[in-house]
């Protein structure tokens, strides 16, 4: 039975030190390689230019370096940039750079495909091939950060796990990726600038609380009663709204971290006064800082439409009248299928 070649990015400094000693090399090589991987964001042994050719060749023989690469890039008229990334085993995932005047946000994926089948999300119509490894998630962030620096001369200010897949169904790797992203030895980003979005896996929301995470949490609610939510989000059948409310309160008690409720408006489904009233009731039961009201972005498989503008404004005004901190989030990148719910590797 052939043994799997270890991934270089799973090695600690101590592991690398032991490796170099076993090769008769100086200890400081370990720090050099670690710096190349996590501070200089090398994605191949060849890039490690201050190592001898022989040493790079030795590393390539003894370790794998399964980095993702940019496959295609699309540029939206509004400045949004969508990248399709290719993994070492030839799968495709998508990530998005969303620039505004005061923020440069990376929207990253956590899985190849998704198993939750939310009706309004293009990724939900794909099979889930596998979870992304922590270093593949970090790669997305570093590649999008390079785009931001190249285009805007600014580093990323925020990261949202709102791309392909359900982050809490890839719990260990997502948390390991965030640990790397926030490490001073790597990107050194503040955990408060990171938001993990979930369709609502209650027991894992509680686990986030138990693990005392420092990042923000967003719940994709999208309907404010179980009957409607069951129709568009099958996960609600096993994680209903009451269970989710309890898990969010538990998470907040444990962490005091910011919680956002996400709510896409669908014409004649969840955009009426009764729906707004039910949303207000949920908001009052959850320590949410914000309700993001999101424009629906059409996809091929789901025949709902976005409401007329006056219906949207009426919905927003009602929330305002009930002292709900709600913001209307206009879609970015619709012309390149980079908006919320549209990531699906369409042109495969």
């Amino acid at each position: 039975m052939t043994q799997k070649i270890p991934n270089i990015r799973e090695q600690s400094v101590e592991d690398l030190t032991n490796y170099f000693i076993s090769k008769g090399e100086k200890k400081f090589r370990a720090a050099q390689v670690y710096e190349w991987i996590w501070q200089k964001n090398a994605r191949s042994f060849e890039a490690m230019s201050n190592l001898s050719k022989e040493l790079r060749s030795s590393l390539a023989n003894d370790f794998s370096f399964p980095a993702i690469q940019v496959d295609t890039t699309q540029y939206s008229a509004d400045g949004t940039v969508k990248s399709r990334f290719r993994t070492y085993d030839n799968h495709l995932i998508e990530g998005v750079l969303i620039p505004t005047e005061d923020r440069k946000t990376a929207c990253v994926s956590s899985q190849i495909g998704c198993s939750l089948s939310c009706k309004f999300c293009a990724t939900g119509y794909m099979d889930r091939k596998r979870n992304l490894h922590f270093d593949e998630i970090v790669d997305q962030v570093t590649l999008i950060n390079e785009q931001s620096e190249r285009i805007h001369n600014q580093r990323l200010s925020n990261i949202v796990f709102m791309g392909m897949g359900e982050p809490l169904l890839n719990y260990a790797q997502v948390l390991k990726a965030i640990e790397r992203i926030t490490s001073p030895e790597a990107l050194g980003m503040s955990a408060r600038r990171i938001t993990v979005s979930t369709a609502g896996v209650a027991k894992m929301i509680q686990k986030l609380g138990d693990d005392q995470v420092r990042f923000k949490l967003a719940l994709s609610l999208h309907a404010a009663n179980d009957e409607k939510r069951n129709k568009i989000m099958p996960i609600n059948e096993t994680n209903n709204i009451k269970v989710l409310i309890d898990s969010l309160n538990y998470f907040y008690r444990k962490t005091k971290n910011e919680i956002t409720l996400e709510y896409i408006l669908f014409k004649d489904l969840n955009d009426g006064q009764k729906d707004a009233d039910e949303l207000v009731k949920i908001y009052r039961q959850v320590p949410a800082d914000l309700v993001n009201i999101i424009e629906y972005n059409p996809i091929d498989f789901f025949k709902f439409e976005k409401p007329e503008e006056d219906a949207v404004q009426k919905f927003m005004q009602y929330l305002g009248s009930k002292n709900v901190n709600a913001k209307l989030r206009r879609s970015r990148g619709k012309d390149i299928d980079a908006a919320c719910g549209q990531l699906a590797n369409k042109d495969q």
Side-chain angles (χ1 to χ4, degrees):
M1 187 172 160
T2 56
Q3 196 173 3
K4 189 182 168 194
I5 299 176
N7 179 348
I8 189 73
R9 294 191 288 188
E10 288 184 333
Q11 310 305 303
S12 66
V13 175
E14 293 75 22
D15 295 331
L16 291 170
T17 301
N18 292 334
Y19 168 77
F20 283 116
I21 290 170
S22 75
K23 292 284 180 182
E25 288 283 344
K26 303 282 188 192
K27 282 185 183 180
F28 74 85
R29 295 290 183 206
Q32 275 184 316
V33 169
Y34 201 78
E35 184 184 29
W36 272 112
I37 294 169
W38 297 118
Q39 289 191 315
K40 297 181 178 176
N41 303 319
R43 282 183 285 277
S44 72
F45 295 113
E46 276 306 301
M48 299 178 183
S49 54
N50 60 353
L51 303 183
S52 71
K53 228 173 182 177
E54 292 72 31
L55 198 47
R56 281 179 275 169
S57 178
S58 177
L59 285 166
N61 283 331
D62 296 333
F63 296 101
S64 64
F65 205 141
I68 69 168
Q69 307 294 336
V70 176
D71 185 67
T72 57
T73 308
Q74 292 174 273
Y75 298 87
S76 167
D78 64 21
T80 302
V81 181
K82 180 172 81 169
S83 297
R84 188 171 74 172
F85 302 111
R86 189 173 293 276
T87 64
Y88 75 95
D89 54 351
N90 229 20
H91 290 300
L92 298 168
I93 53 169
E94 292 183 336
V96 185
L97 169 62
I98 308 161
T100 61
E101 205 170 299
D102 56 342
R103 289 183 176 199
K104 303 295 177 279
T105 302
C107 174
V108 298
S109 297
S110 55
Q111 295 180 309
I112 299 167
C114 187
S115 59
L116 295 187
S117 306
C118 297
K119 302 297 183 226
F120 49 85
C121 177
T123 311
Y125 291 86
M126 302 168 65
D127 293 333
R128 189 191 73 82
K129 304 291 186 192
R130 67 170 174 83
N131 286 336
L132 288 173
H133 202 253
F134 83 95
D135 50 332
E136 295 175 308
I137 296 170
V138 175
D139 276 345
Q140 291 175 75
V141 174
T142 55
L143 286 164
I144 295 171
N145 186 56
E146 285 168 16
Q147 289 174 341
S148 183
E149 289 180 327
R150 187 175 68 250
I151 298 166
H152 302 286
N153 292 316
Q154 286 179 14
R155 287 170 55 83
L156 289 174
S157 60
N158 297 77
I159 300 167
V160 294
F161 281 76
M162 294 182 183
M164 301 167 76
E166 167 53 59
L168 298 192
L169 294 182
N170 187 16
Y171 189 94
Q173 295 299 319
V174 165
L175 261 62
K176 197 170 178 185
I178 291 171
E179 184 190 318
R180 284 281 90 207
I181 291 161
T182 56
S183 166
E185 295 171 339
L187 284 170
M189 285 193 72
S190 165
R192 304 285 179 197
R193 297 273 183 173
I194 298 172
T195 301
V196 171
S197 176
T198 178
V201 188
K203 67 179 182 181
M204 303 315 283
I205 293 171
Q206 291 190 7
K207 184 164 169 50
L208 289 174
D210 289 334
D211 288 341
Q212 298 281 292
V213 300
R214 293 178 298 124
F215 50 78
K216 298 176 184 177
L217 184 65
L219 173 70
S220 295
L221 184 64
H222 306 319
N225 69 54
D226 285 324
E227 186 186 352
K228 289 185 178 182
R229 200 166 188 265
N230 286 345
K231 278 183 192 170
I232 59 172
M233 300 181 75
I235 191 175
N236 196 71
E237 291 168 15
T238 49
N239 294 259
N240 66 33
I241 290 172
K242 183 188 181 309
V243 167
L244 289 175
I245 288 170
D246 290 345
S247 68
L248 290 173
N249 278 295
Y250 182 88
F251 169 82
Y252 186 77
R253 279 199 306 276
K254 291 280 190 173
T255 68
K256 295 294 185 282
N257 291 353
E258 195 173 305
I259 297 171
T260 302
L261 300 178
E262 308 274 342
Y263 191 96
I264 298 173
L265 281 179
F266 304 110
K267 185 178 180 181
D268 300 329
L269 175 71
N270 67 350
D271 63 338
Q273 164 105 26
K274 187 170 184 289
D275 301 296
D277 204 41
E278 288 172 336
L279 179 55
V280 171
K281 285 174 185 163
I282 291 173
Y283 177 78
R284 287 183 179 155
Q285 294 175 74
V286 173
D289 295 76
L290 176 67
V291 179
N292 262 332
I293 303 297
I294 304 167
E295 281 189 309
Y296 169 58
N297 302 300
I299 60 170
D300 292 342
F301 321 95
F302 187 66
K303 297 308 170 196
F304 277 94
E305 299 170 22
K306 70 180 201 176
E308 303 297 334
E309 187 60 28
D310 62 336
V312 174
Q313 292 308 323
K314 197 173 170 186
F315 196 91
M316 293 300 296
Q317 282 162 11
Y318 183 79
L319 295 181
S321 73
K322 299 295 181 181
N323 297 316
V324 173
N325 181 24
K327 282 187 184 169
L328 180 59
R329 211 172 84 200
R330 299 289 185 187
S331 293
R332 303 288 304 273
K334 278 193 285 193
D335 55 332
I336 55 169
D337 289 328
C340 182
Q342 292 185 319
L343 299 187
N345 295 332
K346 208 174 201 180
D347 54 341
Q348 279 190 61

